[in-house]
Amino acid sequence: MTKFKMNKLIFLTVFAMSINAFSQDVIMPLWPKGKIPNQIVSNEKEVHEQKDILRISKVQEPTIEVYLPSKKNATGQAVLIFPGGGYSILAYDWEGTDIAKFLNSKGIAGIVVKYRLPSSISQTNQEYVPLIDVQRALRMVRSKAEEFHIDATKIGIMGFSAGGHLASTLGTHFDEKIYDPIDEVDKLSARPDFMVLCYPVISMNESWAHNGSQNNLLTKKPRSGLTDYFSNEKQVNTTTPPTFLVHASDDKGVPVENSLVFYRALIKNEVPAAMHIFPKGGHGFGLGLKDKYLRTWPELLFGWMESLD
């Protein structure tokens, strides 16, 4: 082997090792193999479709995908991200990994949760399955605070659309036992330290409720009591975490009333809350980067997050 080829091989080897050493995303299963709660063995398979965005459906193995900022930039804060999709799909990059990378630019750990979507084929009591997964995800991240170089008392959640409903569900049902503990992780608190709700679905029984999310989560014939249980404006109390809400007035998919009614419930219970309603943006605007006004919402969020310290 010539000296040139040897040097080239050494360079490529070192370069590959560097990429591996500084790679920011790590995917971890939420549950030990064979111990996923409420799971039924079936022929249902997970589906990934990459078009304008990555859409994941029929999730079978819930995971967290962890993006960490450099240690020098880290604030100690972490945010678990719940992509939306009407409890039918997950808009996994648009409202997930893109958000995590954006948070990293501000020194915040971004952790995307690939949670199971309700399925009568592969689950029992499908209504509780997404909540089961995100309770576990919050506990798992808290258990790994030292490993991830984050503060265990500064772990928040962020949800978009139906993911916003799931986030508000966790924020109002974090202390309810909905699965049997399987290890030491499940002894930790599932309470988020703060919530960020982006054009969230909130109610399940009002005229402006999002029918798709309601039908996918609760079915078209919900069992008694579940519509109120998952109408999270009715579940707010003084232990609900501080909350930041963002919505657009012209949202035709999930009307702005969802954010308004949740904000009123927070204020009634003296929970610290901030809400930003933009005149336009429609539904599913994500980071809003293509609109000069709408794209200011993440900066408003970062300022609010700093105020929590």
Side-chain angles (χ1 to χ4, degrees):
M1 182 179 291
T2 66
K3 184 176 181 180
F4 172 78
K5 288 183 177 180
M6 176 64 76
N7 288 340
K8 183 178 180 181
L9 178 61
I10 292 173
F11 170 80
L12 291 174
T13 302
V14 172
F15 180 71
M17 290 174 64
S18 298
I19 291 176
N20 184 62
F22 292 98
S23 175
Q24 293 299 310
D25 65 301
V26 176
I27 299 177
M28 306 174 65
L30 278 183
W31 306 98
K33 191 174 181 62
K35 294 186 177 181
I36 302 178
N38 294 47
Q39 188 173 59
I40 299 172
V41 176
S42 72
N43 292 323
E44 193 170 59
K45 304 295 183 183
E46 189 166 306
V47 177
H48 291 226
E49 294 181 297
Q50 180 72 69
K51 294 181 181 178
D52 55 335
I53 63 174
L54 174 59
R55 293 171 170 84
I56 300 179
S57 59
K58 301 179 181 179
V59 174
Q60 301 300 306
E61 295 184 7
T63 61
I64 54 172
E65 186 166 356
V66 183
Y67 289 79
L68 301 177
S70 65
K71 292 181 184 178
K72 190 171 182 178
N73 286 329
T75 65
Q77 289 180 318
V79 177
L80 280 73
I81 305 160
F82 309 153
Y87 284 117
S88 175
I89 62 102
L90 302 179
Y92 194 76
D93 49 5
W94 178 249
E95 295 172 343
T97 54
D98 282 1
I99 307 300
K101 295 170 188 176
F102 196 79
L103 290 171
N104 280 182
S105 72
K106 297 294 186 178
I108 302 164
I111 299 157
V112 186
V113 183
K114 188 183 74 173
Y115 56 91
R116 285 175 292 166
L117 299 157
S119 170
S120 60
I121 297 172
S122 59
Q123 300 161 12
T124 59
N125 296 324
Q126 67 172 46
E127 305 93 341
Y128 294 97
V129 166
L131 179 57
I132 287 172
D133 284 351
V134 296
Q135 277 194 359
R136 173 71 177 188
L138 198 292
R139 290 177 170 127
M140 177 177 286
V141 171
R142 188 157 275 144
S143 76
K144 294 184 177 296
E146 184 175 354
E147 179 182 336
F148 293 164
H149 304 288
I150 60 176
D151 187 329
T153 67
K154 296 181 179 180
I155 301 173
I157 57 177
M158 176 186 291
F160 296 80
S161 191
H165 180 266
L166 182 56
S168 65
T169 304
L170 178 57
T172 53
H173 297 277
F174 56 84
D175 58 350
E176 295 179 19
K177 183 180 178 181
I178 53 173
Y179 68 92
D180 292 329
I182 61 171
D183 54 25
E184 292 298 307
V185 169
D186 290 323
K187 295 181 180 179
L188 299 176
S189 171
R191 182 183 184 273
D193 294 300
F194 58 91
M195 293 196 290
V196 181
L197 308 181
C198 306
Y199 40 89
V201 176
I202 293 293
S203 183
M204 286 285 161
N205 63 1
E206 298 292 343
S207 60
W208 34 260
H210 185 247
N211 290 333
S213 297
Q214 181 184 37
N215 291 340
N216 288 328
L217 181 65
L218 305 182
T219 75
K220 293 183 179 180
K221 295 182 178 180
R223 290 186 287 132
S224 177
L226 288 184
T227 53
D228 279 350
Y229 181 89
F230 286 104
S231 290
N232 294 323
E233 77 279 12
K234 298 181 179 182
Q235 308 303 327
V236 174
N237 60 39
T238 56
T239 67
T240 301
T243 302
F244 178 101
L245 295 123
V246 62
H247 221 121
S249 295
D250 64 349
D251 191 330
K252 304 302 182 185
V254 178
V256 70
E257 283 81 2
N258 284 271
S259 284
L260 296 174
V261 72
F262 197 74
Y263 178 78
R264 285 195 293 268
L266 293 167
I267 297 305
K268 181 180 179 180
N269 285 275
E270 300 183 347
V271 176
M275 180 170 62
H276 296 276
I277 306 297
F278 288 83
K280 62 178 183 177
H283 188 67
F285 51 75
L287 291 168
L289 298 180
K290 294 184 178 180
D291 185 288
K292 291 182 180 180
Y293 184 31
L294 190 60
R295 71 187 182 194
T296 64
W297 83 259
E299 292 301 327
L300 295 169
L301 169 63
F302 295 137
W304 178 80
M305 288 176 64
E306 288 177 346
S307 77
L308 296 175
D309 291 340

